[in-house]
Amino acid sequence: MSSVAVLTQETFNAHRSGLLPEQGGGPSAGEDEEALPTYKEAFPPLPEKAAQPEGTQETSSAWASKIRPLKSSIITQVFHVPLEERKYKDINQFGEGDQAKVCVDIMHKTGAHLELSLAKDQGLSIMVSGKLDAVMKARKEIVSRLQTQASASVGIPKEHHRFVIGKNGEKLQELELKTATKIQIPRPDDLSNQIKISGTKEGLEKAKHEILLISAEQDKRAVERVNIEKAYHPFITGAYNKLVGEMMQETGARINVPPQSVNKTEIVITGEKEQVALAVTKIKKVYEDKKKNTTTIAVEVKKSQHKYVIGPKGNTLQEILDRTGVSVEIPPSDSSSETVILRGEPDRLGQALTEVYAKANSYTVSSVSAPSWLHRFIIGKKGQNLAKITQQMPKVHIEFTEGEDKITLEGPIKDVQMVQGQIEAMVTDLVSRMDYAEISVDPKFHRHLIGKGGVNINRIKEVHKVTVRIPPDNEKSNLIRIEGDPQGVQEAKKELLELASRMENERTKDLIIEQRFHRAIIGQKGEKIKEVRDKFPEVIINFPDPAQKSDIVQLRGPRTEVEKCSKFMNKIVAEMVENSYSVSVPIFKQFHRNIIGKGGSNIKKIREETNTKIDLPAENSNSEMIVITGKKANCEAARTRILAIQKDLVGTHFSMIIIPLSGSSCISVGKRLEQRPYQTKSHTVELHAKPEYHKFLIGKGGGNIRKVRDSTGARIIFPTPEDKDQELITVVGTEEAVRDAQKELEELIKSLDNVVEDTMNVDPKHHRYFVARRGQVLRDLADEYGGVMVSFPRTASQSDKVTLKGAKECVEAAKKRMQEIVEDLEAQVTMECVIPQKFHRSIMGPKGSRIQQITRDHNVQIKFPEREDPQAFGHAPVQENGEADGEVKEPVDPNAPKKCDVIIISGRKERCEAAIEALKALVPVTIEVEVPFELHRYIIGQKGSGIRKMMEDFEVNIQVPAPEQQSDKIAITGLASLLDRAKEGLLERVKELQAEQEDRALRSFKLTITVDPKYHPKIIGRKGAIITNIRTEHDVNIQFPEKNDENQDQITITGYEHKAIAARDAIQAIVDELEEMISEDITLDSRVHARIIGARGKGIRKIMDEFKVDLRFPQSGAADPNLVTVTGRPELVDEAIDHLLNLEEEYMADVVENEAKMAYMRPSGSSAAAADEQRGPSKGFVVREAPWATANEKAPDMSSSEDFPSFGAPVATKASPWGPKRF
């Protein structure tokens, strides 16, 4: 039976040499019975109850009746997120930013209430209140969104996965909620047995433990569960898990002791039955021995000193357990208790107690006075100054608190004293040579002090060697702080105050300037506005964005300078307004080039002498307006000079008359001109003529009308198709020119109006030519010769008289043209050209284009015969004696051409002969080219692409013989002029193919190299990188043996001989290097494997790349999970092993610290009560004169909830998946 004695600091000396007598196993036989308290002393009676208010019920006594505990529906849990696991580490934004938004979102989603606080170690404490399910959901959200996530995998047999999932996935959901992790189980069709877990480190450990337990239960091997009180687990595991490791090694069984964060007392042993039985025996033996021989003492240690007792990474607790065999239980960080319990054998407790107090008092807390503004100088740039101190004294923790004029030091006494001296010296030095000043400046001027891109403030910092802190806009503070060298601080302060004073005297003025002038004021590439800014350097001139279409130009600067700049810019605008007067001058289009002059001499002279801008319309424009811009007087002068040039050209006096827009006339210039308010007095006459006369008046190619224009000098304008009045002809020019042109035109029109009728004789055999194609020839004659009407007699009359009716000139011209046509028809002959029908299509060309070209070129008609039916040919019935149906036919001349081969050509004889020559030139010719048969398929190409391309390029037909003919002849058919080029192209292609064939033969050189198969993966490289590099560099093909090949050590290289040899040498060099390599096995604790490998193998790849070695970690379920193989060159392997061992040492410190904290933290809440119950059966609370003493009743058991019922069951604080709670 164990007992508890409370020991304070005052009674510590009495325990230095051993325990006091009453702190032994139990009360001695000679204990004075009178020392026992009486029942009334121990339980004084309650005062008499007051009268109950009316309407209230009397509370029934919990002692008299056994009532069910009342459970509160609202619970509160505190979660702690260490600094290294926080997702959002920006201390300056605590209470705002993304972290706060996430917390608000979690509260909205779950309905729980969250309160955040920041611990001294910058860890995050989160208090969650609400209903149980809301708190659990909130915890899951906190883990996933506020805490960094880790991942791990655990391998269990595939058949055990369904037990992890449970019915309808309930077990998996329960496991995820319990451990606050995300568990991914591979699909049934996935052969992998790895279960992936993601979450916090503690959650991963819990989930892994639970999954392994489930698997162990389903395993065919024996599974034994032993319930051992939680307090005795450290004695079973031993210091640094040595004892449990030895047990596993001796028995061969697997012993799974739940971590302290898991509120379970059972230890699971798996393995062979004999091994499990042996392990269970050993565990029970240790447990019974410790339970019998150990006792406990409780000591009071200040809460702030608990972490010193735990030690860095839990090493102190492990040392105490290793040296003394005493387990030290530290209350959880969220408990207010300061009681530390030591459990062990009586003769060892004194030594352990001494060490606990020694460790508790080995650290001290001190502070150094230092102005808060000096803190960042003490820390140094990127923490350089502080790093020097912490490297020398790593055990000292230095804490800077913002806004406080002190620095807190925590650590071993001697180290703290040394660090304190160093920091005090730094403070003294900084105070002697540093100073600060604060000035007040209106926040609206802050951004101007900073300048564009920080140019102003950076200049001040560099010149005066100071730091200037200007508060951000959201602080709305007017205080600017300057820190640095005393002299520099004063100079910077003076300059900043001068800038601020100048800004207070600044003025902003808006000028209204029409946007159309903005570009002119700015000038090309900003040249003009630069001159203004140079003249007024203190004034800032801002023009609005062109897209805003604003007229406001803003000036900002000193009051006097702004006024001067404003007057200057107004003067510029006034000049622009004065110079923006514009006048349009109508000038005949044909005179524009005279206005411009040779090389632009005239227009340039007018511009310079009148100081105006003169714009002429584009050459292809119908506009006649010349626009003059400038001062009004100058514009008038320029207009006068331009009009004078036109006056000289036309020899006519011009004067301006104003015509209202509504009554302005329209003059046609190629089309009816637009209306314009100003028009000259040029003479205009309008004539009317039938539209069909217009073409005759204009003449072929404009010849007739050009004669009139040249002889008179007038402009004659005919209506366009869009004009309403199609008979109107306008004559424009001088009065004399218009009069002469009018006279000539009227005579022409009069003669055209004088309709006459005439006849001519045309042989009836030619009539068809004129009336064919719906009288197209007659329509052309009517269009060309003033609408003359030509009438041919009826076909049946056989008359040769043709009647022409129309204007006399038109009739004469048409008659002459018809006679020319008849002469051509009379001279027309018909000739035959015999060309085999098989060539007709080729002669016609695409869509008959070649025949159409010959017809146009030679002015002949060409008619091809009907195609002959090949099936009918040769199947006519045999005629005997030349008789058929009673008729006797003359024998057919075998040399006579077939009708299907005869092409009929009609036209003049010389033209027909030329056309026949042209046709014969189009007859394709066939030649044969000798090409080796084995190259035919390459010439044809894939799906005929090669031969099709050649036929398109050379415009010939190429026929390759069928493969079964085995012929070397390829036929080329086409125009004779194209055959030579096609033949050369084909022979050139043959040469290329022969060269390729030779090259292919050279490239097919093969050699093999024998390489041990174990080196093949190394030669191939990661993702084939090495072998691909060799293939590319040497332009060879490298083939590795298939899995089922007999020669697994043969690598085949194909390519040019010299390149294949070079590739072989490259592979051999790799093999030689690999043979020089060695492989060494080292033992690395499997708990650090994941950290060494890193996320997605990033860590292990970095090590392998850095040391040029290969690392192989054991697979899940390997016989030795700690065995790691390092392969590489001897010197590199040694370096890599040293690096790995250093990493193991570093990572193991974290692992041990976490395990130590979990192993030696007392369970909180009901867990602590359960632990107290498990210390052993209570013999009851002993008092004298108790009521049950006379009734021979058993003394009540204090640990029994029946004898001592509670007034409300306290909410059990479950162990957090994140480990012990600290805040």
Side-chain angles (χ1 to χ4, degrees), residues 96 122 159 164 178 304 313 473 546 564 636 680 691-692 719 727 776 812 831 851 859 875 900 1047 1122 1142 1149 1164 1218:
E96 59 184 54
Q122 302 304 326
E159 58 270 17
V164 177
K178 184 177 178 181
S304 60
K313 301 180 181 179
D473 294 340
K564 290 178 183 178
E636 291 296 333
T680 62
E692 55 266 26
E727 295 186 354
Q776 182 63 43
E812 291 297 329
M831 302 181 73
I851 288 301
N859 194 19
H875 295 283
C900 61
N1047 300 324
N1122 301 324
N1142 290 337
S1164 59
W1218 305 332

Side-chain angles (χ1 to χ4, degrees), residues 1045-1059:
D1045 282 354
E1046 293 181 2
N1047 300 324
Q1048 286 293 310
D1049 58 351
Q1050 298 291 323
I1051 299 175
T1052 305
I1053 306 171
T1054 307
Y1056 294 114
E1057 184 177 359
H1058 66 285
K1059 292 188 176 181

Side-chain angles (χ1 to χ4, degrees), residues 659-679:
I659 302 174
L661 282 173
S662 59
S664 59
S665 62
C666 295
I667 299 177
S668 177
V669 185
K671 63 177 183 178
R672 310 309 289 178
L673 281 181
E674 68 279 2
Q675 290 180 339
R676 57 196 183 190
Y678 298 101
Q679 181 60 49

Side-chain angles (χ1 to χ4, degrees), residues 832-1029:
E832 293 181 350
C833 178
V834 180
I835 296 175
Q837 186 182 22
K838 62 181 181 179
F839 300 130
H840 288 186
R841 181 174 292 178
S842 175
I843 291 170
M844 288 181 184
K847 297 181 181 180
S849 58
R850 290 176 179 170
I851 288 301
Q852 290 171 11
Q853 186 64 39
I854 293 173
T855 302
R856 284 194 299 269
D857 291 346
H858 302 287
N859 194 19
V860 294
Q861 292 182 347
I862 302 173
K863 183 180 179 183
F864 280 80
E866 297 292 332
R867 291 183 62 82
E868 185 179 38
D869 187 358
Q871 292 181 351
F873 182 74
H875 295 283
V878 178
Q879 306 291 333
E880 290 186 6
N881 301 323
E883 297 180 359
D885 297 332
E887 294 182 3
V888 178
K889 291 188 177 180
E890 295 182 5
V892 178
D893 184 2
N895 296 322
K898 297 178 183 178
K899 286 186 178 181
C900 61
D901 296 339
V902 178
I903 302 171
I904 307 299
I905 304 162
S906 301
R908 285 184 176 270
K909 184 179 179 181
E910 62 276 11
R911 293 175 181 173
C912 289
E913 289 172 352
I916 289 171
E917 292 299 322
L919 285 172
K920 287 182 177 180
L922 294 175
V923 175
V925 181
T926 301
I927 61 171
E928 289 184 345
V929 181
E930 190 167 343
V931 176
F933 173 73
E934 61 271 14
L935 298 180
H936 287 189
R937 61 194 182 98
Y938 301 112
I939 289 171
I940 295 170
Q942 189 176 13
K943 295 182 180 180
S945 60
I947 200 166
R948 195 160 47 246
K949 186 176 186 301
M950 289 180 69
M951 288 193 291
E952 289 173 0
D953 291 346
F954 301 118
E955 298 180 15
V956 296
N957 181 44
I958 302 174
Q959 189 172 1
V960 180
E964 55 269 16
Q965 294 180 7
Q966 298 284 312
S967 173
D968 291 340
K969 302 290 185 182
I970 291 180
I972 305 175
T973 304
L975 301 180
S977 59
L978 301 175
L979 288 180
D980 291 339
R981 181 167 163 264
K983 183 179 178 180
E984 289 176 5
L986 180 58
L987 292 175
E988 188 67 30
R989 177 63 179 150
V990 169
K991 288 180 182 177
E992 290 177 7
L993 291 172
Q994 287 173 339
E996 288 177 10
Q997 209 171 30
E998 292 173 6
D999 184 66
R1000 203 178 297 114
L1002 292 173
R1003 287 178 65 92
S1004 61
F1005 177 79
K1006 284 188 180 182
L1007 63 80
T1008 58
I1009 179 174
T1010 303
V1011 177
D1012 194 323
K1014 69 180 180 181
Y1015 296 137
H1016 289 189
K1018 295 292 183 183
I1019 296 171
I1020 294 170
R1022 189 166 181 266
K1023 295 183 179 179
I1026 297 174
I1027 200 68
T1028 301
N1029 187 36

Side-chain angles (χ1 to χ4, degrees), residues 452 508-534 536 539-556 565-566 568-570 572-573 576:
K452 189 175 182 180
T508 300
K509 185 173 183 179
D510 292 340
L511 292 180
I512 307 299
I513 299 174
E514 288 183 56
Q515 194 182 30
R516 64 192 176 103
F517 296 128
H518 289 186
R519 183 176 292 180
I521 294 172
I522 294 169
Q524 191 174 10
K525 296 182 180 180
E527 291 176 355
K528 292 187 178 178
I529 196 65
K530 186 176 183 296
E531 293 175 5
V532 178
R533 285 173 173 154
D534 291 343
F536 304 98
V539 179
I540 299 172
I541 306 170
N542 290 323
F543 284 85
D545 191 286
Q548 295 178 356
K549 296 183 178 178
S550 172
D551 295 338
I552 297 175
V553 177
Q554 191 180 70
L555 308 180
R556 192 181 74 246
C565 183
S566 173
F568 183 78
M569 291 192 69
N570 282 330
I572 293 174
V573 172
M576 286 184 174

Side-chain angles (χ1 to χ4, degrees), residues 1128-1157:
R1129 298 179 68 85
E1131 63 277 10
L1132 298 176
V1133 168
D1134 292 340
E1135 292 178 9
I1137 289 174
D1138 291 342
H1139 181 70
L1140 288 170
L1141 293 175
N1142 290 337
L1143 287 177
E1144 180 196 28
E1145 183 180 354
E1146 180 184 344
Y1147 296 155
M1148 277 304 296
D1150 295 337
V1151 172
V1152 170
E1153 179 185 9
N1154 292 335
E1155 289 183 353
K1157 288 178 181 177

Side-chain angles (χ1 to χ4, degrees), residues 340-589:
V340 176
I341 295 176
L342 283 72
R343 187 184 304 275
E345 297 177 5
D347 57 338
R348 300 287 186 91
L349 287 173
Q351 182 185 353
L353 190 60
T354 303
E355 291 198 18
V356 168
Y357 273 119
K359 293 295 182 183
N361 295 318
S362 64
Y363 279 68
T364 185
V365 178
S366 180
S367 63
V368 177
S369 295
S372 59
W373 65 274
L374 284 179
H375 286 186
R376 61 192 187 87
F377 297 105
I378 296 169
I379 295 169
K381 190 176 183 181
K382 296 183 180 179
Q384 289 177 352
N385 297 344
L386 208 59
K388 293 177 184 177
I389 298 173
T390 53
Q391 284 172 4
Q392 296 173 359
M393 306 293 176
K395 295 182 180 180
V396 177
H397 175 69
I398 305 172
E399 184 178 345
F400 293 84
T401 306
E402 189 175 356
E404 293 187 11
D405 294 338
K406 68 173 184 177
I407 302 170
T408 306
L409 309 176
E410 185 178 343
I413 297 172
K414 290 184 179 179
D415 291 357
V416 166
Q417 289 174 350
M418 290 182 68
V419 172
Q420 185 173 353
Q422 292 180 24
I423 293 178
E424 285 176 348
M426 289 173 69
V427 172
T428 305
D429 176 58
L430 289 170
V431 168
S432 65
R433 60 185 178 84
M434 299 286 284
D435 194 9
Y436 76 94
E438 291 180 344
I439 60 173
S440 181
V441 177
D442 195 318
K444 69 182 180 181
F445 299 131
H446 286 184
R447 64 190 183 92
H448 303 302
L449 289 178
I450 295 170
K452 189 175 182 180
V455 63
N456 295 344
I457 202 69
N458 288 336
R459 181 185 58 78
I460 293 171
K461 287 178 180 179
E462 290 174 8
V463 171
H464 303 295
K465 308 297 181 187
V466 295
T467 59
V468 182
R469 186 188 179 278
I470 298 178
D473 294 340
N474 56 2
E475 286 188 16
K476 296 182 179 178
S477 170
N478 59 356
L479 207 61
I480 296 177
R481 188 181 181 92
I482 310 164
E483 298 169 354
D485 179 72
Q487 184 179 353
V489 167
Q490 294 304 318
E491 290 174 354
K493 177 181 177 182
K494 181 181 178 183
E495 186 171 347
L496 285 170
L497 287 173
E498 286 177 357
L499 281 172
S501 174
R502 198 183 308 157
M503 287 172 192
E504 287 175 355
N505 293 327
E506 274 192 353
R507 182 190 172 190
T508 300
K509 185 173 183 179
D510 292 340
L511 292 180
I512 307 299
I513 299 174
E514 288 183 56
Q515 194 182 30
R516 64 192 176 103
F517 296 128
H518 289 186
R519 183 176 292 180
I521 294 172
I522 294 169
Q524 191 174 10
K525 296 182 180 180
E527 291 176 355
K528 292 187 178 178
I529 196 65
K530 186 176 183 296
E531 293 175 5
V532 178
R533 285 173 173 154
D534 291 343
K535 190 170 184 178
F536 304 98
E538 296 182 11
V539 179
I540 299 172
I541 306 170
N542 290 323
F543 284 85
D545 191 286
Q548 295 178 356
K549 296 183 178 178
S550 172
D551 295 338
I552 297 175
V553 177
Q554 191 180 70
L555 308 180
R556 192 181 74 246
R559 189 183 301 273
T560 54
E561 291 296 308
V562 166
E563 290 298 329
K564 290 178 183 178
C565 183
S566 173
K567 289 178 181 177
F568 183 78
M569 291 192 69
N570 282 330
K571 184 179 178 182
I572 293 174
V573 172
E575 289 178 0
M576 286 184 174
V577 170
E578 187 180 359
N579 291 329
S580 64
Y581 178 79
S582 179
V583 63
S584 297
V585 184
I587 300 295
F588 290 120
K589 191 78 174 178

